């Protein structure tokens, strides 16, 4: 964004810290110009290095200290800046937080997405929860909504968080496996801790394999509290709904993406924003009046439960748009420090014991990760609201306080800064009574009903994926007793589920289980109301010398006009010579790419091109694999012959009239403009995300 007027307050504030280094002289940290940085100062060309070489010593010392501890969870992430704006003021009846209620107010944000279990250098696409952490730089101070892409969590009390994380992280003896839950310790924990089961169902579902950070929902998870001007509270659950719909990879694909592009989700976010395809979500809320606190068959304070949307609808509040990539990964994405206790007036906590523990943990973790109490001075963490207090000193103190006092009250400095100004944060007044006791509330003890609700709400395809995921995960567990204990737990969710899993992992299938309550919540399925759009979807157009250039150009232009990203993939880089003798530029060379990095594949006609692709095992595999993963395929002219070479069992068009068969779209037309009906049918197949009902061998899930 070059237009000054379009730059938000946070962006302008960051100008103070941006260093461009354009055409400048190289200096030491002290600003002394350096003459030569390739050789150390030595006693003779072949002699020992001298202590007085302050430049090289400083350079190496700084390098030695470059790393900071990675986040203990959510170490792997990607972030971007953006803006939030409410649609209207309806929520003002419930909260004084104007950034949620004043449609004239735009609030700068930074959002960091993450995986949970893997280290900083791990791949983007393991089976895992995704973090969805939003820092709102509001005029009333920073508000952090530190959520996930699942609406429920694995445990109910923060006291269990270290146990849970130790169980899911790599095994302590050998640090294997990296970024994977498919190992003994996690499933041992799950089998002994049934409160995990609802979130485990989400983890085994497609939700754990998002196609893109831009195509996943986000949830605040806990029940929070909105507070109005009179101090009245209302329970609230926060939801983020992506404009592009919620879509996932299939498991076989996700594993291959880990090798083909470990930065798949990072790159997707970065590239989309660079291309001006801003990522968008709608913020919605579920509100529950305080008098209805006990109106549910679960406890609102239990973070392993969701409020079914059919019971309490999600009401739209405003729009989040991510529109600017960070300038520096370390300075911004790595150093950003989220904290659930960063709240602003109008938003407060509840007594959810998971949230209460988080309100301790996040500040504590930043102290070690960012090396002391002054991390709020780091550019990405600094509020745009003014900061004045009597907190002083500490490592990395950036401020030069000029006041003669650093205590309150004082007379010497006119009692500045003074508490109690208008707009001060006031904690919600809540009457609390109870015996001091270490126990789990009885109201938290139904561990299965909502896991069953989730299972019942899945489409057949989604349910199959869940069974396959359990079989994979438990199949990696070496201790058969653990496998059996997990299956034993699953029968309290659904007997059929337990039996199907048991069959795949070599443990006895149970013959008794809970009576399934039969309830569903259609909103929990990703497939009930998918958003259909080709916007930003990636399509590979395979081409070799002799390609039908006019047809290829017409297809690529059509896809780009619809907002998709179409790339010409050649056997080698450079250009391909079309059948009519023109050069068509290649965007990617086949050996550098894989079908798993695309949403769809098209094969243009041109006899020589199709024959050359058919002789190349990688090209044939590319097409066959895309088919196996349920992706849209298109071929025109002789292009359909490559589908046959790849043994794709689909009906193909014999004439120019297009034929669509389970997401495979063909026409015999070639040269010049392609029929609109063919282009429309291909776009529809891409927008459907996957053709789940392919006949041959099903989808490789
Ligand atoms: Fe957490 C990071 C989300 C429970 C302790 N958490 C972290 C991040 C996200 C979440 C998105 C990454 C933030 C970033 O991008 O920097 N965590 C959640 C959600 C939870 C949850 C949605 C349950 C509803 N977390 C949770 C508990 C505890 C923690 C119960 C401790 C008692 N979480 C942490 C942490 C981390 C963290 C150790 C690691 C790095 C950091 O905070 O900044 O404090």
């Amino acid at each position: 964004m070059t237009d000054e007027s379009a730059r938000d307050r946070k962006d302008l504030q960051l100008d103070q810290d941006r260093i461009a280094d354009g055409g400048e002289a190289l200096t030491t940290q002290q600003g002394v110009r350096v003459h030569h940085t390739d050789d150390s100062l030595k006693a003779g060309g072949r002699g020992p290095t001298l202590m007085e070489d302050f430049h090289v010593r400083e350079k190496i010392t700084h390098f030695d200290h470059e790393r900071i501890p990675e986040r203990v969870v959510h170490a792997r992430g990607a972030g971007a800046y953006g803006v939030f704006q409410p649609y209207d003021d309806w929520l003002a009846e419930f909260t004084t937080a104007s950034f949620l209620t004043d449609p004239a107010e735009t609030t700068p944000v930074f959002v960091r997405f993450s995986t949970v279990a893997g280290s900083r250098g791990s791949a983007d696409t393991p089976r895992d929860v995704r973090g969805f952490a939003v820092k709102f730089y509001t005029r009333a101070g920073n508000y952090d909504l530190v959520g996930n892409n699942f609406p429920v969590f694995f445990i109910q009390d923060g006291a269990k968080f270290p146990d849970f994380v130790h169980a899911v992280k790599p095994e302590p003896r050998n640090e294997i496996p990296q970024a994977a839950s498919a190992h003994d310790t996690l499933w041992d924990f799950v089998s002994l801790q049934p409160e995990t089961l609802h979130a485990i169902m989400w983890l085994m579902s497609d939700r754990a394999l998002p196609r893109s950070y831009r195509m996943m929902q986000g949830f605040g998870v806990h029940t929070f509290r909105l507070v109005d001007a009179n101090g009245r509270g209302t329970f609230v659950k926060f939801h983020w709904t992506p404009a592009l719909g919620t879509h996932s990879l299939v498991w076989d694909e996700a594993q291959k993406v880990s090798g083909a592009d470990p930065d798949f989700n990072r790159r997707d976010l970065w590239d989309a924003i660079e291309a001006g395809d801003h990522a968008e979500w709608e913020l919605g809320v579920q509100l529950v009046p305080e008098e209805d606190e006990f109106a549910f068959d679960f406890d609102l304070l239990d973070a392993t439960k969701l409020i079914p949307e059919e019971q309490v609808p999600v009401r739209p509040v405003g729009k989040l748009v991510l529109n600017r990539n960070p300038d520096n990964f370390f300075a911004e994405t790595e150093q950003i420090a989220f904290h659930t206790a960063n709240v602003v007036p109008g938003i407060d906590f509840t007594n959810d014991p998971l949230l209460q523990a988080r309100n301790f943990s996040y500040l504590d973790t930043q102290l070690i990760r960012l090396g002391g109490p002054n991390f709020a001075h780091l550019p990405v963490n600094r509020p745009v609201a003014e900061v004045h207090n009597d907190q002083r000193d500490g490592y990395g103190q950036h401020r030069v306080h000029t006041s003669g006092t650093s205590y309150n009250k004082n007379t010497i400095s006119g009692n500045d800064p003074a508490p109690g100004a208008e707009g001060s944060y006031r904690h919600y007044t809540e009457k609390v009574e109870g015996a001091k006791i270490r126990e789990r509330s009885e109201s938290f003890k139904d561990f299965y009903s909502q896991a069953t609700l989730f299972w019942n709400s899945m489409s057949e395809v989604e349910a199959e994926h869940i069974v396959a995921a359990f079989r994979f995960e438990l199949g990696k567990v070496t201790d058969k007793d653990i496998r059996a204990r997990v299956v034993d737990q699953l029968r309290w969710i659904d007997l059929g589920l337990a039996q199907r899993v048991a069959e795949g992992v070599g443990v006895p299938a149970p013959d008794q289980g809970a009576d399934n309550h039969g309830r569903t919540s259609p909103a929990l399925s990703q497939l009930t109301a998918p958003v259909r759009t080709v916007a930003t979807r990636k399509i590979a157009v395979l081409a070799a010398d002799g390609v039908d250039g006019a047809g290829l150009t017409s297809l690529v232009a059509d896809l780009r006009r619809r907002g998709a990203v179409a790339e010409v993939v050649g056997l080698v880089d450079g250009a391909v010579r079309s059948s009519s003798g023109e050069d068509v530029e290649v965007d990617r060379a086949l050996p550098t790419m894989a079908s798993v990095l695309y949403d769809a594949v098209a094969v243009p006609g041109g006899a020589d091109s199709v024959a050359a692709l058919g002789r190349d095992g990688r090209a044939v595999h590319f097409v066959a694999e895309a088919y196996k993963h349920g992706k849209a395929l298109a071929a025109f002219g002789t292009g359909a012959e490559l589908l046959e070479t790849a043994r794709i069992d689909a009906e193909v068009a014999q004439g120019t009239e297009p034929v669509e068969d389970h997401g495979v779209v063909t026409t015999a037309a070639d040269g010049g403009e392609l029929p609109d009906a063919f282009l429309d049918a291909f776009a529809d197949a891409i927008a459907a995300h996957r053709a789940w009902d392919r006949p041959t061998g099903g989808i490789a899930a």
Side-chain angles (χ1 to χ4, degrees):
M1 279 196 281
T2 45
D3 176 8
E4 280 286 307
S5 62
R7 297 181 62 202
D8 64 52
R9 296 186 297 286
K10 185 65 193 175
D11 190 10
L12 292 168
Q13 184 197 53
L14 285 167
D15 278 350
Q16 299 161 26
D17 300 286
R18 289 188 171 117
I19 299 196
D21 288 340
E24 312 293 343
L26 179 73
T27 72
T28 65
Q29 292 281 10
Q30 306 305 321
V32 175
R33 291 186 174 194
V34 173
H35 160 244
H36 180 114
T37 191
D38 292 347
D39 296 287
S40 339
L41 188 69
K42 295 185 283 277
R46 299 179 59 252
T49 303
L50 300 177
M51 274 289 277
E52 72 179 62
D53 185 355
F54 57 85
H55 164 56
V56 168
R57 277 170 55 212
E58 180 196 73
K59 185 176 174 183
I60 292 176
T61 303
H62 196 280
F63 169 76
D64 290 343
H65 295 255
E66 258 171 30
R67 292 287 171 270
I68 62 171
E70 67 173 33
R71 287 168 175 82
V72 59
V73 283
H74 298 265
R76 170 87 183 165
Y81 289 97
V83 64
F84 175 78
Q85 191 167 16
Y87 299 133
D88 49 44
D89 65 356
W90 74 267
L91 203 58
E93 189 188 333
F94 301 97
T95 177
T96 55
S98 66
F99 79 99
L100 293 174
T101 62
D102 181 356
E105 192 168 326
T106 55
T107 300
V109 300
F110 188 95
V111 178
R112 184 173 178 274
F113 303 106
S114 47
T115 56
V116 179
S119 299
R120 222 191 108 176
S122 58
D124 279 350
T125 57
R127 178 175 296 285
D128 200 354
V129 189
R130 298 301 185 282
F132 192 131
V134 183
K135 189 180 284 290
F136 296 85
Y137 304 96
T138 87
R139 291 180 191 277
N142 286 353
Y143 170 57
D144 293 355
L145 183 55
V146 196
N148 279 341
N149 75 328
F150 296 3
V152 288
F153 202 63
F154 297 87
I155 47 164
Q156 297 172 320
D157 189 311
K160 293 300 295 171
F161 191 67
D163 299 305
F164 167 65
V165 173
H166 287 172
V168 71
K169 283 271 184 180
E171 307 237 341
R173 283 173 304 179
N174 52 16
E175 214 187 31
I176 297 173
Q178 177 55 238
S181 48
H183 59 109
D184 287 42
T185 52
L186 186 262
W187 291 98
D188 184 32
F189 183 82
V190 168
S191 73
L192 302 169
Q193 200 77 29
E195 73 200 67
T196 54
L197 288 169
H198 185 194
I200 284 291
M201 290 297 287
W202 283 77
L203 187 67
M204 294 302 105
S205 80
D206 295 348
R207 301 286 183 146
L209 311 171
R211 155 65 182 84
S212 157
Y213 290 139
R214 301 175 297 125
M215 299 175 199
M216 63 183 202
Q217 283 181 288
F219 302 91
V221 182
H222 308 281
T223 304
F224 293 93
R225 201 184 314 259
L226 296 179
V227 185
D228 75 5
N230 301 317
R232 181 185 58 123
T234 304
F235 293 118
V236 61
K237 293 260 193 198
F238 292 107
H239 292 243
W240 294 109
T241 306
L244 295 173
T246 307
H247 300 289
S248 295
L249 302 175
V250 292
W251 176 230
D252 180 69
E253 180 189 17
Q255 291 180 87
K256 290 171 177 162
V257 169
S258 291
D261 185 3
D263 305 297
F264 184 70
N265 289 143
R266 265 189 186 181
R267 192 186 307 283
D268 169 272
L269 181 67
W270 179 275
D271 286 353
I273 292 175
E274 288 300 295
D277 290 325
H278 299 160
E280 277 183 34
W281 287 261
E282 178 169 275
L283 178 69
V285 290
Q286 288 177 298
L287 298 182
V288 177
E290 295 215 328
E291 49 280 20
D292 291 348
E293 179 168 5
F294 302 107
F296 301 89
D297 60 359
F298 56 89
D299 197 322
L300 286 178
L301 302 185
D302 173 359
T304 67
K305 304 296 187 298
L306 53 83
I307 309 179
E309 290 181 31
E310 295 76 12
Q311 219 168 331
V312 178
V314 179
R315 297 174 64 185
V317 174
K319 189 158 82 168
L320 167 73
V321 180
L322 298 183
N323 53 19
R324 187 159 57 80
N325 279 318
D327 290 308
N328 183 287
F329 184 90
F330 180 83
E332 296 167 288
T333 312
E334 191 62 13
Q335 292 200 114
I336 192 156
F338 292 95
H339 184 15
T340 48
N342 287 349
V343 285
V344 292
I347 302 177
D348 210 324
F349 316 116
T350 58
N351 295 331
D352 172 345
L354 197 73
L355 176 59
Q356 300 271 324
R358 295 181 75 190
N359 285 344
F360 164 72
S361 182
Y362 288 73
L363 176 56
D364 185 45
T365 205
Q366 311 310 352
L367 293 175
I368 176 111
R369 202 168 69 79
L370 298 167
N374 289 316
F375 57 85
H377 301 186
L378 293 168
V380 72
N381 294 324
R382 203 182 307 145
V384 295
E386 282 193 37
V387 175
H388 299 281
N389 56 48
D390 295 309
Q391 296 170 27
R392 290 290 184 273
D393 310 344
Y395 286 111
Q397 175 62 249
H398 274 49
R399 300 206 175 99
V400 181
H401 291 104
T402 56
S403 167
T405 60
S406 51
Y407 56 90
N408 186 274
K409 309 173 168 98
N410 70 66
T411 56
I412 296 172
S413 310
N415 202 30
D416 274 348
E422 200 191 323
S424 298
Y425 189 90
R426 287 167 192 270
H427 287 268
Y428 172 76
T429 311
E430 185 182 15
K431 188 166 180 228
V432 181
E433 235 176 322
K436 193 192 291 177
I437 194 159
R438 201 187 282 286
E439 69 168 23
R440 192 70 56 92
S441 166
E442 280 305 313
S443 56
F444 279 43
K445 289 191 179 158
D446 167 14
F447 305 132
Y448 304 101
S449 297
Q450 287 210 345
T452 307
L453 182 78
F454 184 73
W455 171 248
N456 290 349
S457 308
M458 295 293 100
S459 62
E460 210 177 300
V461 169
E462 291 168 304
E464 263 170 38
H465 291 176
I466 290 174
V467 172
F470 270 114
R471 287 179 171 189
F472 178 94
E473 297 269 316
L474 293 181
K476 294 278 188 184
V477 169
T478 57
D479 183 336
K480 287 229 172 151
D481 286 347
I482 295 176
R483 295 186 191 185
R485 286 208 310 268
V486 174
V487 167
D488 194 53
Q489 285 292 341
L490 295 183
R491 75 199 165 102
W492 300 114
I493 299 174
D494 182 78
L495 182 59
L497 166 67
Q499 289 169 337
R500 287 164 72 180
V501 173
E503 248 173 60
V505 298
V507 300
D511 54 12
Q512 279 182 359
D515 282 339
N516 187 316
H517 55 59
R519 290 196 299 273
T520 62
S521 167
L524 297 177
S525 165
Q526 278 181 224
L527 301 185
T528 43
V531 172
R532 287 177 173 250
T533 170
V534 297
T536 78
R537 291 306 186 121
K538 285 186 79 176
I539 294 99
V541 182
L542 300 183
D545 286 342
V547 71
D548 168 358
L552 178 148
T553 310
S554 133
L555 176 68
V556 168
D558 180 75
L559 289 168
R560 289 183 182 158
R561 204 183 58 243
R562 293 174 196 259
V565 179
E567 293 184 339
V568 177
V569 178
L571 292 174
V572 289
D573 224 326
V576 291
R577 177 64 52 94
S578 78
S579 52
S580 53
E582 291 106 37
D583 278 349
V584 179
E585 202 185 323
V586 164
D587 297 305
R588 306 278 177 183
L590 189 67
T592 68
M593 300 306 280
S595 82
V596 292
L597 305 179
Y598 291 96
D599 294 294
V601 180
V603 189
D608 289 350
S609 169
V610 175
L613 293 169
R615 284 192 299 273
D616 189 300
R618 289 164 306 186
V620 176
H621 175 69
F622 200 99
V623 173
E625 188 178 52
Y627 181 77
K628 200 73 186 151
H629 291 148
K631 294 175 181 175
L633 291 171
F636 58 85
T638 48
E641 287 170 20
L642 189 64
L643 306 186
E644 276 165 42
T645 312
R647 307 179 73 160
I648 287 171
D649 180 18
E651 187 193 340
V652 298
Q654 301 305 320
T656 53
E657 189 64 29
V659 168
E660 192 276 337
D661 182 12
H662 295 92
V664 181
V665 184
T666 49
T667 170
D670 60 4
E673 292 293 304
L674 295 166
D676 282 348
F678 167 77
L679 297 170
D680 289 346
F682 186 36
D684 283 351
I686 300 167
H689 183 61
R690 299 293 158 102
W692 294 114
D693 54 351
R694 291 222 160 124
T696 40
I699 306 286

